[in-house]
């Protein structure tokens, strides 16, 4: 059985390394992208089973990424977990748009532990090793 | 709130300080997240690596520096501390700052470059404020290194000093991107946008604003700058004339 593939879109390399290490320990294959453009390229190279998305990205926002991502028919069913440092107040402004674009969960990063993020991913897809 | 009583009725000034305080509070979330998640990751492993502990220390130190720099700026602005400019060795300050921020920069796969162009004496500055301001700028620039495409250029942060007609210019510059900091635009977005600095996706830019306050207390202004085809931020400092009298 092949490992499930997570596309982690996170501009902060320190955090990305932590998340990537954690999820790989849990049996996932993780690809890290720092920008919206590189995330699209990474998804094209290897279709992800789930996406973890930070909304605050350089050059293009997470919302712009999601809009682009959902425009591809093959990717419309891929679960996207929004995991962002945007304050809950600011994130609430995007809530309707994110739901329309198929964001399956919205998590506030400073108050989401690795375990909680893991559970959010598990709700979307189990691990196959 | 102490701030509400010291403004002499100048509500605009209170709003400015509250905005800076909010920016600092937001900025502190990042190093605290690093520490919390690194600690949590460490608990899932058989042994916590020395590298993880080192990174936690680096991030904790960066957070402490930001808090202390903000408080120093507040003390200088409120005249709790005398602002006496004295002759300061700029090269020694830059060396100390480069040494302190190197772990932060290295954590992002980049390196620090220190360039002192030419020979000159000391500059007139408040040593603590100058060190704190440059350290704050360095932390922010280190975070911006994440957005530089590493396959195009070796990411580096340059601390540099050089002579100009306006005085001695001290600044921080990043290779690999044009105008990483558009200071004027960012200042206008402060308190309004979650990301006042477009290339600092995960930062409110608090370190830059705190540095700006510290430089302003010393009577100089932080500006967009350029050094050897690198863009960044810089200040002009007056050379000390004391040595000439001896």
């Amino acid at each position: 059985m092949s490992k499930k593939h997570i596309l982690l879109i996170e501009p902060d390399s320190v955090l990305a390394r932590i998340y990537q290490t954690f999820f790989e320990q849990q049996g996932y294959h993780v690809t890290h992208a720092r920008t919206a453009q590189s995330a699209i390229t990474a998804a094209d190279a290897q279709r992800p089973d789930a996406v973890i998305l930070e909304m605050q990205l350089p050059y293009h926002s997470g919302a712009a990424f999601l809009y682009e991502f959902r425009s591809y028919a093959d990717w419309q069913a891929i679960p996207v977990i929004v995991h962002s440092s945007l304050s809950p107040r600011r994130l609430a402004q995007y809530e309707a748009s994110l739901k329309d674009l198929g964001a399956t969960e919205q998590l506030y990063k400073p108050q989401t532990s690795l375990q909680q993020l893991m559970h959010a991913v598990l709700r979307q897809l189990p691990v196959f090793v | 709130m102490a701030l509400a009583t010291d403004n002499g009725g100048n509500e605009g000034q209170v709003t400015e300080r509250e905005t800076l305080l909010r920016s600092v509070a937001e900025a502190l979330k990042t190093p605290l997240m690093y520490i919390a998640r690194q600690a949590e990751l460490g608990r899932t492993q058989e042994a916590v690596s020395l590298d993880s502990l080192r990174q936690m220390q680096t991030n904790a130190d960066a957070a402490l520096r930001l808090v202390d720099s903000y408080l120093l700026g507040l003390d200088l602005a409120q005249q709790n501390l005398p602002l006496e400019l004295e002759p300061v060795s700029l090269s020694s300050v830059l060396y100390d700052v480069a040494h302190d921020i190197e772990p932060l920069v290295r954590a992002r796969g980049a390196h620090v470059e220190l360039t002192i162009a030419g020979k000159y004496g000391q500059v007139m500055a408040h040593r603590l404020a100058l060190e704190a301001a440059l350290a704050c700028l360095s932390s922010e620039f280190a975070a911006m290194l994440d957005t530089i495409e590493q396959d195009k250029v070796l990411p580096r942060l340059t601390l540099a000093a050089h002579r100009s007609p306006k005085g001695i210019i001290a600044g921080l510059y990043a290779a690999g991107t044009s105008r990483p900091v558009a200071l004027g635009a960012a200042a206008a977005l402060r308190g309004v946008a979650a990301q006042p600095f477009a290339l600092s996706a995960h930062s409110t830019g608090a370190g830059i604003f705190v540095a700006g306050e510290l430089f302003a207390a010393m009577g100089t202004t932080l500006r967009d700058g350029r050094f050897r085809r690198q863009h960044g931020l810089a200040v002009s400092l007056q050379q000390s004339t004391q040595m000439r009298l001896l």
Side-chain angles (χ1 to χ4, degrees):
Chain A
M1 293 267 188
S2 60
K3 294 180 180 180
K4 289 294 185 182
H5 174 216
I6 293 175
L7 175 58
L8 172 67
I9 307 171
E10 171 56 67
D12 188 314
S13 57
V14 175
L15 281 176
R17 212 160 33 242
I18 295 170
Y19 294 128
Q20 184 160 5
T21 302
F22 178 73
F23 278 102
E24 286 174 352
Q25 282 177 357
Q26 306 304 315
Y28 291 90
H29 167 59
V30 179
T31 299
H32 168 225
R34 288 191 288 184
T35 65
Q37 181 57 56
S38 60
I40 293 290
T41 304
D44 194 40
Q46 184 182 357
R47 186 184 187 282
D49 297 297
V51 177
I52 297 174
L53 171 65
E54 164 60 68
M55 292 294 287
Q56 295 189 89
L57 300 174
Y59 309 114
H60 302 96
S61 71
F65 162 80
L66 196 49
Y67 187 82
E68 173 78 12
F69 189 72
R70 290 302 190 211
S71 71
Y72 294 90
D74 282 351
W75 296 344
Q76 285 180 3
I78 297 174
V80 175
I81 298 164
V82 171
H83 179 233
S84 177
S85 293
L86 266 185
S87 69
R89 179 175 60 85
R90 286 189 190 264
L91 204 54
Q93 295 168 359
Y94 288 96
E95 194 170 357
S97 307
L98 289 175
K99 280 188 178 161
D100 287 345
L101 289 168
T104 43
E105 294 208 41
Q106 295 172 36
L107 302 172
Y108 178 47
K109 193 186 292 179
Q111 290 181 13
T112 302
S113 67
L114 295 175
Q115 286 295 335
Q116 287 168 329
L117 182 59
M118 180 73 216
H119 290 148
V121 171
L122 281 174
R123 283 193 284 275
Q124 305 305 323
L125 52 141
V127 172
F128 292 101
V129 178
Chain B
M1 290 272 291
L3 282 173
T5 60
D6 74 345
N7 62 0
N10 187 344
E11 291 185 358
Q13 195 175 9
V14 171
T15 302
E16 185 80 11
R17 285 192 188 150
E18 284 175 345
T19 301
L20 183 58
L21 181 57
R22 178 185 285 274
S23 189
V24 169
E26 287 284 342
L28 287 173
K29 287 184 195 174
T30 300
L32 289 172
M33 263 197 291
Y34 293 163
I35 294 164
R37 301 300 160 249
Q38 277 167 334
E40 190 182 356
L41 182 64
R43 287 170 53 212
T44 68
Q45 295 164 326
E46 282 185 5
V48 180
S49 70
L50 277 178
D51 191 52
S52 289
L53 291 173
R54 194 176 302 118
Q55 285 193 31
M56 279 191 251
Q57 180 185 343
T58 297
N59 294 320
D61 286 339
L64 289 166
R65 262 199 302 273
L66 179 61
V67 170
D68 280 334
S69 298
Y70 169 75
L71 292 173
L72 176 62
L74 206 56
D75 279 336
L76 290 172
Q78 293 176 342
Q79 298 177 337
N80 295 334
L81 270 179
L83 181 69
E84 288 167 3
L85 301 186
E86 56 181 354
V88 171
S89 166
L90 180 58
S91 52
S92 78
V93 169
L94 288 174
Y95 180 82
D96 287 344
V97 171
H99 178 263
D100 288 343
I101 58 117
E102 200 194 350
L104 265 181
V105 174
R106 216 173 338 108
R108 287 174 164 81
H111 68 278
V112 180
E113 196 172 86
L114 179 58
T115 305
I116 312 287
K119 286 184 181 179
Y120 37 80
Q122 297 170 318
V123 296
M124 295 304 291
H126 185 281
R127 189 186 174 99
L128 264 183
L130 182 60
E131 269 182 8
L134 290 171
C136 284
L137 283 182
S138 301
S139 293
E140 288 290 348
F141 270 64
M144 287 186 195
L145 290 172
D146 277 340
T147 60
I148 294 171
E149 298 293 337
Q150 296 197 13
D151 57 347
K152 289 181 185 171
V153 67
L154 185 66
R156 68 180 187 276
L157 177 62
T158 301
L159 280 89
H162 65 280
R163 193 187 294 277
S164 87
K166 294 179 186 175
I168 308 299
I169 307 296
L172 274 98
Y173 310 89
T177 185
S178 62
R179 299 198 70 204
V181 184
L183 195 53
L189 291 171
R190 188 173 119 186
V192 177
Q195 301 166 237
F197 296 96
L199 289 189
S200 188
H202 40 80
S203 168
T204 58
I208 296 175
F209 297 128
V210 168
E213 297 279 320
L214 288 166
F215 285 127
M218 287 189 281
T220 186
T221 307
L222 189 60
R223 298 183 194 283
D224 293 328
R226 203 173 164 191
F227 178 72
R228 294 183 184 171
R229 289 187 289 180
Q230 296 179 72
H231 295 263
L233 293 172
V235 288
S236 169
L237 300 165
Q238 292 308 308
Q239 191 163 3
S240 166
T241 57
Q242 288 195 9
M243 287 303 289
R244 290 185 197 166
L245 296 174
L246 293 175

